[in-house]
Amino acid sequence: MASAPLIEIRDLHTWVDGSEGQVRAVDGVSFSVGRGETFVLLGESGSGKSMTALSIARLLPEAARVVSGSVVFDGEDLLQLPESRMRMVRGGRISLIFQEPGTSLNPVMTVGDQVAEVLRRHTALRGSAIRKRVVELLAAVGLQDPARQAEGYPFQLSGGMKQRVMIAIAIACEPDLLIADEPTSALDVTIQAQVLQLLRELQARLGMSILLITHDFGVAAEMAHRIGVMQSGKIVETASREQFFRAPAHPYSRKLFDSLPGRLDRGRTVVAEGSPLLEVAGLKVHFPIRKGVFRRVVGHVKAVDGVSLSVKAGQTLALVGESGSGKTTVGKAIVQLLPLAGGSVHFGGVDLSTVPPGALRDRRRDFQVIFQDPYGSLNPRMRIADIVEEGMLSLAIGGDHTARLARVDEVLTQVGLSPEMRYRYPHEFSGGQRQRIAIARALAVQPRLIVCDEPTSALDVSVQAQILHLLQDLQRRLGIAYIFITHNMAVVEFMAHEVAVMHQGCIVEHGITADVLGRPQHPYTRALLDAIPVIDDADRHEVIRL
């Protein structure tokens, strides 16, 4: 897209002081963003994308500093401005949206007050004019009943609604440049599509430039005019969107591209014969609604309302749907972490809902859970050996301490980690390594079924590919069955033998993966698939879901 640069970053170097010396987080980065253009910085975690954005906005943490370079914005070097002048630019002419809206919004201020705060600082509006503008902005970002939403608090909003509020704050002063740092990574595919469409509409109406930071190829494909690929603090490739997705030039770019689930070689086994390992019939989970001083139950939320499914040994069933559809609740109910309001869960022919608590504890070795956030699910004060051994100790299996340590070493090796790592703590590992540790903990008790709850959604594309290959390899070698909870259809296509689509607590479509994804019957399934960014793969002569 040909246009005069609004901002030009020249040979930017940002260093961070760490315990082991200085880290060159941004190491000679140069690029520009034209007026009305979207430039996407694409790369994995730790590549320097966010540190570049923070350097531009001069919001670096205390341990970091810009060593050299320039950030020329509309003819003025931002790095040379006094902080008082920079505050007028930041929020007025340059706005930022961060990854997690829940932590970016003040929980004790109303939504309207948080939008109004920006207007008071950067415009001459006051009183009723501000209130009117707040409602206009909330309406502009697609919130229903904006006057009422302005009186509410962030905890009353969904993730997508909170991100819309963040966008309303960011565009309040009609900025020339919007820096959006992973603005949709925490959102479902349909909400992501809505937010990206909103950004495109706002860009067209306001003529603003966008610097979009992401590790998501789908977001890049949807939004970019040009793409810069970052690795180890450097930009290794810059190209137009069309050129990049047609033929990425740098080996690192090609490596990332080849890690997309749609391009991975599928290694699923065929559908197994015989009786199901797990049979769920008419499953219901209802949560009470309590009101009044005495917290009396006045009703119930039907989180899961009559779900039936089955899984055979060595097979993968994917549960897909948006946040709030009931996927995770089904997974927790299957492994008896939530009480059932109705229905049955038969595992190995035994109805788990009728098993006494003591006996149920003994059966827990047969089914384990891997959660979405590996860091949040690992005790930061425990060494890896203790984390992996914990399940064996709890279930009184695995023999004596020597035998259990041998088992720890065995499962660490199975997930591709060195046994010498067993005495480290979780914070000493990367996100992908922590997820491998979580898998090792689940494997330690030799389960027959693992519920995988969004196990790769927080991971970069290449790390995601490693984890997916690992789970498939373990399934082939150990015969483990998976219930794979996700909203990523490309992951479903790679991993699952069957897929069940959930919407508002019910399964609306269920079948062989190729049939459901290739010939969806339900309108909700079609809506999910339509929201997924796709690209044409010229080499394979097919469309790849991102």
Side-chain angles (χ1 to χ4, degrees):
M1 180 176 179
S3 61
L6 171 68
I7 187 168
E8 190 168 6
I9 292 84
R10 301 170 182 162
D11 199 26
L12 184 67
H13 292 77
T14 301
W15 294 0
V16 180
D17 295 326
S19 57
E20 299 181 2
Q22 290 179 329
V23 177
R24 299 189 177 190
V26 181
D27 194 13
V29 162
S30 298
F31 66 92
S32 63
V33 185
R35 297 177 188 274
E37 178 186 41
T38 297
F39 185 88
V40 171
L41 272 182
L42 184 66
E44 298 179 283
S45 296
S47 62
K49 307 185 304 296
S50 293
M51 198 61 71
T52 299
L54 293 175
S55 300
I56 292 169
R58 287 179 48 181
L59 290 173
L60 289 169
E62 285 188 10
R65 68 188 188 281
V66 175
V67 176
S68 62
S70 62
V71 177
V72 179
F73 176 71
D74 203 11
E76 193 171 34
D77 189 352
L78 299 181
L79 302 183
Q80 303 304 316
L81 296 182
E83 179 55 29
S84 58
R85 171 78 178 116
M86 187 63 200
R87 279 197 296 267
M88 299 304 296
V89 175
R90 191 193 307 120
R93 299 194 63 197
I94 298 177
S95 289
L96 296 94
I97 305 172
F98 296 103
Q99 177 172 353
E100 180 46 67
T103 57
S104 300
L105 295 172
N106 190 326
V108 298
M109 289 178 65
T110 66
V111 166
D113 284 344
Q114 296 188 60
V115 180
E117 189 176 34
V118 181
L119 295 170
R120 290 191 190 96
R121 176 174 289 275
H122 294 285
T123 73
L125 296 177
R126 293 295 180 269
S128 61
I130 282 187
R131 289 193 293 273
K132 179 183 177 182
R133 180 61 176 153
V134 166
V135 173
E136 289 174 351
L137 286 165
L138 294 178
V141 298
L143 286 182
Q144 301 297 315
D145 196 358
R148 182 178 63 83
Q149 299 289 6
E151 301 300 319
Y153 289 87
F155 75 88
Q156 297 172 300
L157 305 179
S158 68
M161 293 168 71
K162 282 186 280 202
Q163 195 61 293
R164 288 170 183 264
V165 172
M166 285 300 303
I167 294 172
I169 294 171
I171 67 166
C173 300
E174 299 189 356
D176 298 303
L177 174 66
L178 177 66
I179 300 175
D181 189 354
E182 300 277 10
T184 62
S185 66
L187 304 179
D188 292 322
V189 62
T190 51
I191 304 299
Q192 172 182 279
Q194 294 170 19
V195 170
L196 296 180
Q197 177 61 26
L198 172 62
L199 289 176
R200 285 194 295 268
E201 291 171 356
L202 292 170
Q203 182 178 44
R205 189 163 78 242
L206 302 176
M208 68 182 177
S209 304
I210 298 177
L211 172 58
L212 181 59
I213 295 166
T214 186
H215 65 257
D216 189 320
F217 273 66
V219 172
E222 285 280 314
M223 294 294 292
H225 295 110
R226 289 188 301 130
I227 292 172
V229 181
M230 285 199 72
Q231 180 190 26
S232 303
K234 301 176 184 292
I235 290 185
V236 297
E237 179 174 358
T238 303
S240 69
R241 175 200 175 278
E242 292 76 15
Q243 179 185 355
F244 177 77
F245 282 103
R246 183 173 62 249
H250 195 273
Y252 177 71
S253 302
R254 293 196 294 271
K255 173 200 162 194
L256 293 178
F257 204 76
D258 289 339
S259 297
L260 294 171
R263 292 177 63 96
L264 298 177
D265 293 326
R266 300 176 181 90
R268 294 178 304 220
T269 55
V270 296
V271 176
E273 300 296 329
S275 301
L277 173 67
L278 173 75
E279 288 186 283
V280 178
L283 182 68
K284 296 182 179 182
V285 180
H286 298 170
F287 296 117
I289 302 171
R290 301 180 185 273
K291 288 188 176 180
V293 176
F294 298 103
R295 310 300 295 160
R296 291 191 177 94
V297 176
V298 297
H300 287 84
V301 174
K302 296 180 179 180
V304 176
D305 196 24
V307 162
S308 299
L309 53 85
S310 64
V311 186
K312 295 179 180 178
Q315 301 297 290
T316 299
L317 170 70
L319 271 181
V320 304
E322 298 171 283
S323 293
S325 61
K327 309 184 303 295
T328 295
T329 303
V330 168
K332 289 181 177 179
I334 286 173
V335 297
Q336 304 298 295
L337 293 178
L338 289 173
L340 308 188
S344 62
V345 178
H346 284 80
F347 185 87
V350 176
D351 187 349
L352 297 181
S353 62
T354 65
V355 177
L360 179 62
R361 184 181 182 87
D362 294 337
R363 292 194 65 94
R364 287 200 181 277
R365 66 174 297 175
D366 288 332
F367 38 86
Q368 292 289 300
V369 184
I370 301 170
F371 295 101
Q372 176 176 354
D373 178 7
Y375 192 71
S377 63
L378 302 177
N379 190 327
R381 293 180 291 275
M382 292 177 66
R383 297 179 188 271
I384 300 310
D386 299 325
I387 289 172
V388 177
E389 186 187 17
E390 188 177 25
M392 292 184 282
L393 282 171
S394 177
L395 296 171
I397 61 175
D400 59 16
H401 180 64
T402 301
R404 289 194 302 272
L405 279 184
R407 176 63 179 160
V408 168
D409 290 351
E410 180 184 357
V411 294
L412 287 176
T413 301
Q414 283 180 332
V415 301
L417 296 175
S418 167
E420 286 73 30
M421 296 177 173
R422 62 180 176 270
Y423 293 119
R424 297 183 190 175
Y425 290 92
H427 73 269
E428 299 179 76
F429 294 87
S430 68
Q433 287 175 319
R434 287 196 289 261
Q435 196 61 291
R436 289 172 183 265
I437 293 164
I439 295 170
R441 178 176 59 184
L443 290 176
V445 296
Q446 298 179 310
R448 300 164 67 192
L449 169 74
I450 298 179
V451 175
C452 303
D453 191 356
E454 299 276 12
T456 63
S457 65
L459 304 178
D460 293 321
V461 62
S462 61
V463 181
Q464 173 182 264
Q466 295 169 17
I467 296 299
L468 294 178
H469 277 304
L470 170 63
L471 290 171
Q472 276 199 346
D473 181 60
L474 292 170
Q475 185 174 63
R476 283 194 294 268
R477 289 191 287 115
L478 304 176
I480 300 170
Y482 296 132
I483 294 179
F484 210 93
I485 298 169
T486 185
H487 61 257
N488 187 328
M489 289 296 194
V491 170
V492 171
E493 191 172 23
F494 176 70
M495 281 292 296
H497 301 87
E498 296 185 11
V499 57
V501 181
M502 287 200 68
H503 182 51
Q504 297 182 347
C506 300
I507 290 178
V508 297
E509 188 161 356
H510 183 188
I512 301 298
T513 299
D515 293 339
V516 173
L517 299 188
R519 295 175 294 279
Q521 301 300 307
H522 196 275
Y524 179 72
T525 309
R526 291 197 290 271
L528 285 179
L529 291 171
D530 289 344
I532 302 171
V534 297
I535 58 169
D536 292 322
D537 186 340
D539 294 333
R540 294 188 179 189
H541 306 287
E542 64 178 336
V543 171
I544 298 296
R545 289 188 178 93
L546 299 175

